Amino acid sequence: MVETPENDVTKSAPKRTPSTGSARPQRRHRPREETRALLLAAAADLAIERTRPDAPSPHNPLADVRMSDVLVEVNRRDPDGRKLTTGAFYQIWPDQAAFQLELMRHVMDKIATPGARQIEALAFRLVADGEAPEEIFRQISEADFRWTSASPELFLALGLGALAPVDMVRDAQAGANERYIEETDHLLSVLLRYARRRLRPDRTMEDLIWAVEALSVGYLLRSRSHPDIPDRTDDSGWSALASAYYGVIQAFSEPIPDEREDSDPPS
Amino acid sequence: MVETPENDVTKSAPKRTPSTGSARPQRRHRPREETRALLLAAAADLAIERTRPDAPSPHNPLADVRMSDVLVEVNRRDPDGRKLTTGAFYQIWPDQAAFQLELMRHVMDKIATPGARQIEALAFRLVADGEAPEEIFRQISEADFRWTSASPELFLALGLGALAPVDMVRDAQAGANERYIEETDHLLSVLLRYARRRLRPDRTMEDLIWAVEALSVGYLLRSRSHPDIPDRTDDSGWSALASAYYGVIQAFSEPIPDEREDSDPPS
């Protein structure tokens, strides 16, 4: 990576060794590795600074989506339409910040529940066919993962969640989170009943929903660099993702005791 | 959010209605909501473009860490030292791209296994005390989460993972991933044996490690906007994070059959 050959003398020089033959003898030469470490640490701190809630110039991957570029893009797509100008833009949003917040909300909404209707339809069909509950959980976890993976907004949304100012993230996600919980609640409630399971009495449906969401998000992020990891199957064809998902379902739920078998322990 | 009052006439105007009184009758006025949607979609596409592997100007949260700012920061920290110049910088890295890759590696390394030594020590102590295996899994999952949460690099690293060019991410993470797998493998192998469990025969330790990593990363990202979600406890004091973690451990492992009880089924 570096043109200059490694210099064992400077590299192994202990700290505070005075430099020899320096024009400014009161100033020492830093060993090369020390300089490298200093520069990396300072650079990392500068970048980390920008992820703090009170950062004066926070990381915001949408900040450089310039209005002028957006107008060019819209006008390019509709060459015969009336050309949009910055005036049209400011009739809708008072300033760039308002636009960015709505853009973030737009992106978050897009990945909230992609394929929700199709996944619900799949689950309904499998239940009607009398498929085994664990097989239904396998199929819906994998379908959900595929739908979200296919969203072009996915990694932008994850990056915004990690880097954009946290108040803005919370605000932009509020609607998406509500819809996600509502739709997932309905699906998992029906499937748990079908599986003759129920939430553990000291857990809520939201606990379960956020657990499977966390698992999915982590695997989605990993799949960007290592697409094979969530997909690795066991001998029964279960993906790692589906196995882990079903493990989480079981961790937050318990079998409904069979009324005909009084001897069955409640958990 | 918008100064201009909502205009029901333009808002409810059907598409392709010719505008009345326009100077250019062949061009229609777009309804306001249509303009809003067009601008948002174009802006999202421009931002998404930059997350693609072949993007000409990819999102890279480190791209604006300027060398000059880094030098100012280093020299500010050590006012009595020999001032570092751009020359010192280029003696180490041939160009900004090489510097950015190493900076990314530095950040990824920092969050690979924070607290690994302390977590191993905690597990060792709990095993020596004869603590119940599930209680040890609970404590190490929560300790691991706390250590990673406390890393200042955390959200920068997650944002880089989501947005930076994927080849660069894979390269920068390689060493960190290797170390993470090695240390987690050792810890989980010992704890599974202590719990008298073993990996299911069609699962690998890497499958299990990436599953608990996915779960943690998802909860870490969620904790940025909703710090309470991973922490919510059940009646026994288990956090949601620990419950889900233990569910994943169980999903990829099975009890070791007791040799003294031949009637025990193998899984």
Side-chain angles (χ1 to χ4, degrees), chain B residues 212-233:
Chain B
V212 298
E213 195 257 1
L215 182 73
S216 298
V217 162
Y219 267 130
L220 286 163
L221 196 53
R222 176 59 48 197
S223 74
R224 185 161 185 255
S225 53
H226 299 88
D228 61 308
I229 285 181
D231 286 343
R232 289 178 189 166
T233 50

Side-chain angles (χ1 to χ4, degrees), chain A residues 1-2 36 78 92 102, chain B residues 2 30 36 78 92 94 102:
Chain A
M1 189 187 291
V2 182
R36 176 195 292 264
D78 185 11
I92 300 175
E102 187 156 348
Chain B
V2 183
R30 280 196 195 85
R36 176 195 292 263
D78 185 11
I92 299 176
E102 187 155 347

Side-chain angles (χ1 to χ4, degrees), chain A residues 1-2 30 36 45 50 64 77-78 92 94 102 161 164 170 200 203 222 224-225 234 238 243, chain B residues 1-2 30 36 45 50 64 77-78 92 94 102 161 164 170 200 203 213 222 224-225 234 243:
Chain A
M1 189 187 291
V2 182
R30 279 194 195 86
R36 176 195 292 264
D45 287 349
R50 301 183 56 202
D64 49 12
R77 289 174 185 195
D78 185 11
I92 300 175
E102 187 156 348
R170 208 178 284 118
R200 282 170 34 200
R203 286 299 185 192
R222 177 59 49 198
R224 186 162 184 254
S225 53
D234 67 9
W238 280 59
S243 295
Chain B
M1 187 186 294
V2 183
R30 280 196 195 85
R36 176 195 292 263
D45 287 349
R50 302 181 56 200
D64 49 13
R77 290 174 183 195
D78 185 11
I92 299 176
E102 187 155 347
R170 207 179 284 120
R200 282 170 33 200
R203 286 300 185 193
E213 195 257 1
R222 176 59 48 197
R224 185 161 185 255
S225 53
D234 67 9
S243 295

Side-chain angles (χ1 to χ4, degrees), chain A residues 207-251:
Chain A
D207 291 339
L208 172 57
I209 290 172
W210 288 124
V212 297
E213 196 257 0
L215 182 73
S216 299
V217 162
Y219 267 131
L220 286 164
L221 196 54
R222 177 59 49 198
S223 75
R224 186 162 184 254
S225 53
H226 298 88
D228 61 308
I229 285 181
D231 286 342
R232 290 179 189 164
T233 50
D234 67 9
D235 292 348
S236 316
W238 280 59
S239 64
L241 163 85
S243 295
Y245 183 102
Y246 193 57
V248 170
I249 294 280
Q250 291 191 296

Side-chain angles (χ1 to χ4, degrees), chain A residues 137-207:
Chain A
F137 280 114
R138 178 182 80 76
Q139 290 200 30
I140 65 148
S141 67
E142 293 177 354
D144 184 53
F145 192 79
R146 275 196 307 275
W147 276 95
T148 312
S149 291
S151 302
E153 297 83 3
L154 173 63
F155 294 115
L156 178 61
L158 296 183
L160 285 167
L163 296 176
V166 68
D167 288 347
M168 206 169 154
V169 172
R170 208 178 284 118
D171 188 345
Q173 281 183 344
N177 285 346
E178 208 174 301
R179 223 170 65 236
Y180 176 72
I181 286 183
E182 194 185 338
E183 302 203 352
T184 313
D185 186 335
H186 178 249
L187 181 64
L188 292 184
S189 296
V190 175
L191 290 182
L192 281 177
R193 278 224 305 279
Y194 178 70
R196 298 204 46 71
R197 296 185 73 84
R198 62 185 181 194
L199 284 169
R200 282 170 34 200
D202 49 0
R203 286 299 185 192
T204 66
M205 182 53 87
E206 280 205 25
D207 291 339

Side-chain angles (χ1 to χ4, degrees), chain B residues 181-222:
Chain B
I181 286 183
E182 193 185 340
E183 303 202 351
T184 314
D185 186 338
H186 178 248
L187 180 64
L188 292 183
S189 296
V190 175
L191 290 182
L192 281 177
R193 277 225 306 278
Y194 178 71
R196 299 205 43 72
R197 296 184 72 85
R198 63 184 180 195
L199 283 169
R200 282 170 33 200
D202 49 0
R203 286 300 185 193
T204 66
M205 182 53 90
E206 280 206 23
D207 290 340
L208 172 56
I209 290 172
W210 288 124
V212 298
E213 195 257 1
L215 182 73
S216 298
V217 162
Y219 267 130
L220 286 163
L221 196 53
R222 176 59 48 197

Side-chain angles (χ1 to χ4, degrees), chain B residues 4-207:
Chain B
T4 327
E6 293 289 343
N7 183 337
D8 283 334
V9 177
T10 54
K11 211 178 157 190
S12 62
K15 288 189 177 183
R16 301 291 160 196
T17 299
S19 59
T20 53
S22 167
R24 295 188 192 86
Q26 77 280 15
R27 304 249 169 119
R28 70 194 177 86
H29 256 302
R30 280 196 195 85
R32 178 195 185 76
E33 284 311 305
E34 192 184 328
T35 304
R36 176 195 292 263
L38 273 177
L39 288 167
L40 285 173
D45 287 349
L46 288 177
I48 290 164
E49 235 0 89
R50 302 181 56 200
T51 65
R52 291 190 203 286
D54 52 349
S57 65
H59 278 300
N60 181 350
L62 299 180
D64 49 13
V65 176
R66 287 180 308 169
M67 192 211 312
S68 53
D69 295 337
V70 176
L71 291 170
V72 167
E73 179 64 17
V74 166
N75 291 327
R76 192 186 61 75
R77 290 174 183 195
D78 185 11
D80 299 329
R82 173 187 281 263
K83 292 281 169 276
L84 281 182
T85 62
T86 51
F89 193 99
Y90 283 113
Q91 273 185 1
I92 299 176
W93 297 282
D95 51 37
Q96 286 267 3
F99 170 65
Q100 274 177 32
L101 180 60
E102 187 155 347
L103 178 54
M104 198 182 296
R105 192 176 298 133
H106 174 82
V107 170
M108 296 299 186
D109 282 349
K110 285 278 184 185
I111 67 149
T113 52
R117 224 160 22 98
Q118 291 87 341
I119 292 164
E120 181 106 10
L122 170 67
F124 188 17
R125 185 167 60 72
L126 293 170
V127 165
D129 286 353
E131 194 62 75
E134 57 270 29
E135 172 63 15
I136 303 182
F137 280 116
R138 177 183 81 77
Q139 291 200 30
I140 64 149
S141 67
E142 293 177 354
D144 184 53
F145 191 79
R146 275 196 306 275
W147 275 96
T148 311
S149 291
S151 303
E153 297 84 2
L154 173 63
F155 295 115
L156 178 61
L158 296 183
L160 286 167
L163 295 176
V166 67
D167 288 347
M168 205 169 154
V169 172
R170 207 179 284 120
D171 188 347
Q173 282 184 344
N177 286 345
E178 208 173 303
R179 222 170 67 236
Y180 176 72
I181 286 183
E182 193 185 340
E183 303 202 351
T184 314
D185 186 338
H186 178 248
L187 180 64
L188 292 183
S189 296
V190 175
L191 290 182
L192 281 177
R193 277 225 306 278
Y194 178 71
R196 299 205 43 72
R197 296 184 72 85
R198 63 184 180 195
L199 283 169
R200 282 170 33 200
D202 49 0
R203 286 300 185 193
T204 66
M205 182 53 90
E206 280 206 23
D207 290 340

